[in-house]
Amino acid sequence: MDSTDNNKILEVKNLKTYFYTDGGVVKAVDGVSFDLKVMETLGIVGETGSGKSVTALSILRLIKQPPGKIVEGEILFNGNNILDMNIRELQDFRGNRISMIFQDPMTSLNPVFTVGNQIMEAIIAHRNVDKKTARIESYKLLEMVGIPDLKRRFTSYPHEFSGGMRQRVMIAMAIANSPDILIADEPTTALDVTIQAQILELMEELKEKTNSSIIIITHDLGVVAKYADRVMVMYAGKAVEFSDVGTIFYKPCHPYTLGLMESITRLDETKREQLKPIEGTPPSLIDLPEGCVFRLRCRYAIEKCRKEYPPFVEIEKGHFAACVRAQEFLSGSLSRVKK
Amino acid sequence: MDDIENPKKVNIDSSVEEGEVSIGLAQDFFMGRKYAKTSLYKDAWKRLKRNKLAMLGLAIVIFLIVLAIFAPFIAPYDPIDRVKEDSMLGPSGTYWFGTDVLGRDILSRVIYGSRISLEVGVIAVGISVLIGLVLGAISGYFGGVSDAVIMRIADIFFAFPYILGAIAIMTVLGQGILNIFIAIGLLGWASFARIFRGSILSIKNKEYVEAARALGASNYRIITRHIFPNSFAPIIVYATMNVGTAIIVEAALSFLGIGVQPPTPAWGKMLSESLDYIDIAPWMMVFPGLAIMITVLGFVLLGDGLRDAFDPKMKQ
Amino acid sequence: MTDNNKLLEVKNLKKYFNLRGGFLFQKSQGTVKAVDDISFFIRKGETFGLVGESGCGKSTTSRVILKLTAPTSGHAYYKGEDIFKMNNHELFKMRREIQIIFQDPYASLSPRMTVGDIISEPLEIHRISDKKSRISKVKELLKTVGLNPEHINRYPHEFSGGQRQRIGIARALALTPKLILCDEPVSALDVSVQAQILNLMNGLQKEFDLTYLFIAHDLSVVKHVSNRVAVMYLGKIVEVANSEDLYKSPLHPYTMGLLSAVPIPDPEAEKQRKRIILEGDVPSPIDPPSGCRFHPRCPNAQEICSKSEPELKNYDLSGNEHLAACFFAGKPI
């Protein structure tokens, strides 16, 4: 990716994160490159095992070692490589410059401490403030994320909160030190539809207020369509397509992106008799097929796909794809999903 | 809605650090779910083989079994044969472990003693497991009053000191190897019932059990086909460890003189016989003592290893 | 029972759970009204969708219909006969005709049984055919659901989520049922695999003349599969209508909010769309709000809503049925 753009706050180059298991080497993330601009929302889309969560964990170096290991690549935050940081620098960095929200707000909060305590902890860990200031800050944060009945809630334990409320608390903790980047890993998957809408709106609102960038990891194309500026589609540990949201939805140039668009059920269409699924199942990350990883499920596969994994190249300005036939999709000589 | 019947369920996992949780999930996905190609038991065996301590435990246990079965061929002398002039000889080329007051070969007695210890260990624990499984199944599967009653009785058994209980039962039943089985077996069931009840409670609301019920499967079928095979791992682990405990209790009973009767060689009995001669013939105590220690260690190591092998996540 | 086409009719169904505490002498600590007086029917051959958020009672409804848990009160007529009044023998026979498919393809198959064991279990329980013909039947079923019959001796963990769901479907089909209760059958699956399973279920419905009760929280999936849809909120049905009508012109404010909350995978359309964000959390079913249970979150709520409970009434004048339980049904928010 060219680095002429000074706007980039995060740049990931050729990231490879492998897990060494009994069964063999799991190539969870295998050569992923992307960048994140200031105040941008980047959506990372993919199915289970596509490597989207591992990518996020790698950015914060939260990969547990063993069995995991970041074997290659660079993760540049404002030009500094996160992979070169020592433990102290890393501790100072996590939760401070980049913070993360996880899918399950129950397991991400410690059940034996009150919610207020945990937020204060997050503040004190990174800022040199006394308890009183931290308490006042915590109140402000909880108010900001829309926790009602603050006084009582401050001294409550996580299990006394509903799923949505817990996720609000997680968000409050994540933004406690006004980080530059907020990574949200399936933040609403465990929540109900109406609560999901509340949380996503809240994140959008906070992004405006705090001028931060967001990486949102999800399998929900609707969420991406609504909130993301740019989208990276992942499959079997690789980035297959990366562009602005409009291009991804209206002009996809990778058969996997295309397949995803066609296979989803949508609220805004009349009943279809048959859906158009992507046949087959994702390959085992231990034993990837030779050539293109998507080849075995691809309707457009040709002889060339067998030979080698196609490089992830810029097929038009700001539009990257890893498919030997991407140009054909782009020029329209191969038919695509209709809008 | 599944949680509605026990709304106070607390997630134990939640004390783990943020990052680790997600990685745990990822690991689960990579290792346990999609990419596993073998069954639980094969998998567990693979992990067990890599655990050196567990393999040492297994070696000890196998060695003991071989010793017990082939005792007549292995033992150099008859264990109850007295040779008056050879009384209290120290370890030597003729008597590797020395001899006791009555001039019996200690090595042969230790080898034969393994028979009693293993018999008691296996049979008594077998009785415990059997009672525990039945009562645990009733308690866990049917719940309600039967659950409350069985578990309260189990509590009483827990509260009662093991050895004291064994002594009490032995006094009532009288001496004899059969009664040792019964005494130790009766005392051990409570933990098995608890463990089994616990796994049943977690399994009985699983969807595959509901699926079986929706198919019209009988309670008997559900327990034997669906619940038993899925809750066996912790029982195996706990039973292995318990064999060690049972052996110690038997030794204690024999030591106190209410266990195995002379002249049958039993390690506990040998210890008590050695007491008076500690100063002049320490080998009389050392070898049976070592035998008990190594045996119990073997079972505990194996049990520990099995636990880690069945549930690698538990170790972390 | 005027409509002969009704395969299943549920009337005034209630399911309360007593929360108990203490040990030997347990005392009640409140009642969860998981399902509170709901009525609906399913016509032969149709797919009836039941949507709602977690805790609304939709899954409990399916468990009660199958009598996996006893109802508190009410009736469920299968082919005109009340399931709750059946004796054990009748119930056993009924179980051949009503089957269930579960949400979690990992939890719904016993990890210690082979695929062959799992799929032949229903045949075994109901003593259908001998062992040899059972095996060939299982192989046939595997083929029907799109799996390789050679894999009959494999264990569930050797399959992917989608394949496991196919195994679950094969088990449900083994007894050639008439009605299948599908409890969130695709919500644990990835999108590309969801479509495979939905297509499979659609095909099977035609091939075997099946009727589905399709329970899900995903509105777009429910819309895709269902002929008619009922929306549940806190143990109550708040709206029932033909799928198209419900999505085009929802009458109940909860339905409106629910539909609006689902983001559409279309960036341009999404930018222009005005969203209704329902405030607050779903209240606890232990002590549900008085009157209309939705009133604390409802933007249209008036005084009457907290005082009395609206009835489920028909608002369609053209002869179709479009039921809603709201005093201000159809009023935009």
Side-chain angles (χ1 to χ4, degrees):
Chain A
M1 245 156 269
D2 63 329
S3 49
T4 46
D5 204 341
N6 286 331
N7 234 350
K8 289 175 188 169
I9 186 157
L10 185 78
E11 206 176 346
V12 173
K13 288 183 183 167
N14 196 28
L15 176 71
K16 291 186 181 177
T17 305
Y18 294 173
F19 289 86
Y20 297 86
T21 70
D22 300 355
V25 181
V26 176
K27 296 179 177 176
V29 176
D30 198 16
V32 167
S33 305
F34 65 92
D35 60 83
L36 178 71
K37 292 179 187 142
V38 175
M39 290 189 62
E40 174 186 50
T41 300
L42 171 71
I44 302 183
V45 191
E47 299 179 282
T48 323
S50 63
K52 53 192 198 303
S53 291
V54 179
T55 303
L57 292 170
S58 301
I59 293 173
L60 280 177
R61 279 180 57 190
L62 282 170
I63 299 294
K64 204 170 162 199
Q65 196 175 344
K69 198 182 176 202
I70 299 173
V71 291
E72 216 183 302
E74 277 180 277
I75 302 170
L76 303 174
F77 175 75
N78 279 335
N80 301 319
N81 193 351
I82 295 173
L83 299 182
D84 290 338
M85 287 182 183
N86 63 30
I87 295 291
R88 285 211 50 161
E89 290 171 320
L90 202 61
Q91 274 166 356
D92 191 46
F93 176 78
R94 284 182 195 150
N96 193 8
R97 306 309 348 128
I98 302 184
S99 55
M100 191 149 174
I101 306 167
F102 293 93
Q103 172 175 356
D104 187 348
M106 187 67 224
T107 52
S108 313
L109 287 168
N110 191 332
V112 301
F113 293 111
T114 63
V115 161
N117 232 318
Q118 293 185 57
I119 297 182
M120 280 166 64
E121 199 59 49
I123 295 170
I124 293 170
H126 293 289
R127 274 190 270 167
N128 194 12
V129 292
D130 58 35
K131 271 205 159 166
K132 207 178 152 199
T133 328
R135 184 182 295 269
I136 295 166
E137 279 282 306
S138 310
Y139 264 90
K140 268 194 212 151
L141 283 166
L142 286 175
E143 201 175 2
M144 218 155 120
V145 296
I147 301 275
D149 197 2
L150 261 183
K151 246 202 164 86
R152 194 168 61 82
R153 287 307 193 177
F154 195 79
T155 50
S156 302
Y157 289 89
H159 69 90
E160 297 171 69
F161 282 58
S162 67
M165 283 296 155
R166 266 183 237 136
Q167 201 57 293
R168 282 174 195 268
V169 172
M170 282 307 297
I171 293 173
M173 281 168 72
I175 62 166
N177 301 300
S178 34
D180 300 313
I181 303 173
L182 190 63
I183 302 177
D185 185 3
E186 304 262 11
T188 57
T189 308
L191 305 175
D192 281 320
V193 199
T194 57
I195 311 299
Q196 170 180 332
Q198 292 173 2
I199 297 292
L200 290 171
E201 284 301 310
L202 172 69
M203 282 177 57
E204 187 75 356
E205 203 181 289
L206 291 173
K207 182 188 151 195
E208 299 297 315
K209 272 190 202 159
T210 58
N211 294 337
S212 54
S213 311
I214 293 181
I215 298 179
I216 184 163
I217 293 164
T218 178
H219 64 273
D220 189 332
L221 288 169
V223 170
V224 169
K226 170 116 181 101
Y227 296 100
D229 301 310
R230 286 193 300 161
V231 181
M232 176 166 78
V233 183
M234 288 188 71
Y235 183 78
K238 312 232 187 224
V240 294
E241 194 162 5
F242 182 36
S243 190
D244 62 88
V245 67
T247 310
I248 291 288
F249 276 84
Y250 303 129
K251 255 185 13 182
C253 286
H254 192 285
Y256 177 65
T257 316
L258 229 146
L260 271 187
M261 299 292 165
E262 288 176 329
S263 64
I264 45 174
T265 50
R266 313 167 60 126
L267 262 189
D268 60 340
E269 60 170 16
T270 46
K271 188 175 168 167
R272 272 186 290 172
E273 260 312 292
Q274 287 283 319
L275 295 163
K276 247 183 157 182
I278 304 173
E279 294 302 337
T281 42
S284 154
L285 296 178
I286 291 177
D287 190 18
L288 289 171
E290 235 177 282
C292 176
V293 284
F294 187 59
R295 163 171 75 85
L296 298 173
R297 300 176 74 188
C298 184
R299 266 180 287 152
Y300 305 93
I302 51 173
E303 193 51 35
K304 214 175 158 189
C305 305
R306 245 172 224 284
K307 304 235 169 65
E308 57 176 339
Y309 187 74
F312 191 55
V313 289
E314 192 162 15
I315 52 172
E316 60 180 322
K317 177 111 185 76
H319 186 182
F320 298 79
C323 177
V324 289
R325 305 189 75 179
Q327 284 297 344
E328 291 174 66
F329 284 113
L330 192 65
S331 64
S333 57
L334 261 177
S335 64
R336 253 197 316 237
V337 60
K338 54 187 186 305
K339 196 205 151 178
Chain B
M1 287 309 285
D2 286 339
D3 285 348
I4 207 147
E5 272 157 302
N6 20 339
K8 282 178 192 157
K9 208 169 91 181
V10 178
N11 200 328
I12 308 163
D13 273 351
S14 27
S15 56
V16 196
E17 238 180 87
E18 285 181 9
E20 285 185 22
V21 171
S22 313
I23 296 161
L25 290 176
Q27 216 176 322
D28 188 39
F29 170 74
F30 291 130
M31 300 175 39
R33 290 190 161 175
K34 212 159 189 174
Y35 300 93
K37 284 267 186 284
T38 46
S39 73
L40 172 96
Y41 290 99
K42 271 194 220 152
D43 238 25
W45 172 237
K46 253 194 356 240
R47 276 192 290 268
L48 190 70
K49 267 200 298 197
R50 275 201 314 246
N51 184 341
K52 288 199 183 85
L53 279 177
M55 290 319 281
L56 175 68
L58 183 65
I60 293 173
V61 170
I62 290 175
F63 176 73
L64 278 165
I65 294 172
V66 171
L67 217 58
I69 293 174
F70 299 105
F73 305 101
I74 298 169
Y77 303 96
D78 187 332
I80 51 177
D81 195 16
R82 308 171 182 190
V83 183
K84 222 175 190 169
E85 49 276 23
D86 285 352
S87 170
M88 287 206 280
L89 290 181
S92 67
T94 346
Y95 302 109
W96 289 6
F97 286 6
T99 60
D100 64 4
V101 189
L102 298 172
R104 294 174 298 195
D105 176 37
I106 291 183
L107 174 60
S108 303
R109 286 183 72 75
V110 167
I111 291 173
Y112 271 89
S114 67
R115 288 187 154 183
I116 295 287
S117 290
L118 281 189
E119 266 173 40
V120 169
V122 172
I123 296 176
V125 170
I127 294 173
S128 298
V129 169
L130 221 72
I131 302 175
L133 286 192
V134 173
L135 293 182
I138 295 172
S139 184
Y141 191 76
F142 297 102
V145 178
S146 53
D147 178 34
V149 170
I150 291 172
M151 281 303 114
R152 292 307 75 81
I153 296 175
D155 286 347
I156 295 169
F157 271 81
F158 271 120
F160 213 74
Y162 209 137
I163 304 258
L164 212 62
I167 294 172
I169 297 177
M170 288 304 289
T171 324
V172 173
L173 294 179
Q175 292 165 346
I177 184 84
L178 206 71
N179 291 343
I180 297 183
F181 296 155
I182 296 172
I184 299 178
L186 271 181
L187 284 169
W189 68 273
S191 352
F192 288 101
R194 270 221 175 149
I195 294 172
F196 198 52
R197 172 180 177 268
S199 27
I200 288 184
L201 284 181
S202 73
I203 291 167
K204 101 173 163 180
N205 287 323
K206 285 255 162 79
E207 289 181 339
Y208 57 80
V209 173
E210 278 200 315
R213 287 174 61 204
L215 291 168
S218 61
N219 284 331
Y220 176 76
R221 189 188 174 88
I222 288 172
I223 293 177
T224 53
R225 288 291 302 269
H226 295 272
I227 291 180
F228 269 24
N230 282 297
S231 51
F232 240 66
I235 296 286
I236 293 174
V237 172
Y238 196 73
T240 313
M241 293 198 189
N242 241 30
V243 170
T245 318
I247 289 173
I248 289 188
V249 174
E250 178 271 326
L253 290 176
S254 297
F255 182 87
L256 294 171
I258 48 173
V260 179
Q261 288 312 295
T264 317
W267 296 339
K269 189 77 199 155
M270 290 169 76
L271 280 181
S272 74
E273 286 166 359
S274 74
L275 268 188
D276 293 339
Y277 313 101
I278 269 187
D279 299 334
I280 45 173
W283 56 88
M284 279 176 67
M285 166 176 268
V286 168
F287 292 106
L290 272 179
I292 293 174
M293 202 187 90
I294 291 171
T295 307
V296 173
L297 189 73
F299 279 102
V300 170
L301 285 180
L302 180 63
D304 249 350
L306 282 173
R307 189 191 54 210
D308 295 345
F310 277 125
D311 194 353
K313 263 171 278 163
M314 236 154 82
K315 204 176 163 187
Q316 287 160 10
Chain C
M1 296 300 294
T2 46
D3 195 340
N4 279 335
N5 266 331
K6 288 176 186 171
L7 186 64
L8 180 80
E9 182 164 27
V10 171
K11 271 193 173 163
N12 305 101
L13 182 67
K14 287 183 188 175
K15 174 66 192 176
Y16 297 169
F17 291 102
N18 279 318
L19 299 176
R20 281 173 307 208
F23 59 99
L24 194 49
F25 307 102
Q26 302 185 322
K27 53 179 188 285
S28 178
Q29 296 187 327
T31 309
V32 176
K33 297 181 174 178
V35 176
D36 199 9
D37 199 0
I38 65 167
S39 304
F40 64 89
F41 63 88
I42 305 175
R43 290 197 188 95
K44 201 169 177 307
E46 78 172 346
T47 300
F48 185 75
L50 199 55
V51 270
E53 299 178 278
S54 59
C56 73
K58 55 191 194 303
S59 288
T60 307
T61 305
S62 68
R63 304 298 198 275
V64 175
I65 292 171
L66 274 171
K67 236 188 141 188
L68 290 177
T69 169
T72 303
S73 69
H75 308 275
Y77 300 99
Y78 175 70
K79 287 181 173 167
E81 288 198 44
D82 195 341
I83 294 170
F84 305 148
K85 293 208 174 94
M86 287 179 182
N87 62 30
N88 281 344
H89 179 70
E90 288 165 327
L91 203 62
F92 186 70
K93 264 171 64 189
M94 181 278 289
R95 295 208 188 283
R96 285 184 63 161
E97 306 206 348
I98 307 183
Q99 273 305 311
I100 183 162
I101 301 171
F102 293 97
Q103 165 176 12
D104 186 346
Y106 293 99
S108 59
L109 307 175
S110 171
R112 301 279 172 279
M113 286 164 86
T114 63
V115 170
D117 289 340
I118 291 169
I119 301 175
S120 66
E121 183 168 37
L123 303 171
E124 236 173 83
I125 291 171
H126 289 267
R127 305 219 168 74
I128 296 166
S129 60
D130 57 283
K131 198 164 181 197
K132 215 171 149 196
S133 48
R134 259 185 234 145
I135 291 174
S136 62
K137 172 104 204 226
V138 169
K139 287 189 171 167
E140 204 180 292
L141 281 164
L142 282 172
K143 239 185 274 169
T144 312
V145 297
L147 289 172
N148 186 348
E150 305 285 304
H151 294 171
I152 188 165
N153 286 322
R154 293 200 176 179
Y155 285 90
H157 66 253
E158 297 173 51
F159 295 88
S160 70
Q163 289 170 324
R164 294 180 60 133
Q165 202 54 295
R166 288 175 195 264
I167 297 169
I169 293 173
R171 171 177 59 193
L173 284 178
L175 296 168
T176 53
K178 304 270 187 298
L179 173 66
I180 298 185
L181 314 181
C182 317
D183 187 6
E184 305 255 13
V186 296
S187 55
L189 305 175
D190 280 319
V191 258
S192 70
V193 180
Q194 271 191 9
Q196 293 175 7
I197 299 296
L198 291 175
N199 277 354
L200 172 70
M201 288 177 62
N202 190 14
L204 294 172
Q205 182 165 37
K206 290 195 183 110
E207 194 178 337
F208 298 104
D209 198 15
L210 296 168
T211 306
Y212 289 140
L213 170 64
F214 195 98
I215 297 167
H217 68 276
D218 187 329
L219 287 118
S220 48
V221 169
V222 173
K223 182 190 179 193
H224 173 78
V225 299
S226 308
N227 305 95
R228 292 188 308 131
V229 179
V231 182
M232 276 186 88
Y233 184 78
L234 265 186
K236 293 268 182 196
I237 288 181
V238 296
E239 187 161 1
V240 187
N242 285 331
S243 183
E244 287 299 321
D245 293 343
L246 185 90
Y247 286 88
K248 232 182 271 159
S249 47
L251 294 177
H252 197 283
Y254 175 63
T255 316
M256 296 178 197
L258 209 53
L259 287 171
S260 170
V262 180
I264 292 170
D266 184 337
E268 292 301 322
E270 201 44 72
K271 271 190 198 102
Q272 284 150 26
R273 205 159 156 240
K274 208 182 138 253
R275 285 183 107 184
I276 310 158
I277 304 284
L278 291 176
E279 302 284 329
D281 271 323
V282 182
S284 156
I286 297 176
D287 191 15
S290 62
C292 171
R293 293 188 179 185
F294 184 59
H295 85 262
R297 297 178 75 192
C298 181
N300 283 350
Q302 307 276 322
E303 220 185 311
I304 182 174
C305 302
S306 61
K307 289 199 176 120
S308 55
E309 204 177 307
E311 257 177 85
L312 199 58
K313 277 195 291 203
N314 191 8
Y315 288 89
D316 193 313
L317 304 172
S318 65
N320 276 332
E321 222 182 20
H322 191 154
L323 310 175
C326 177
F327 293 115
F328 307 99
K331 186 181 169 193
I333 43 177

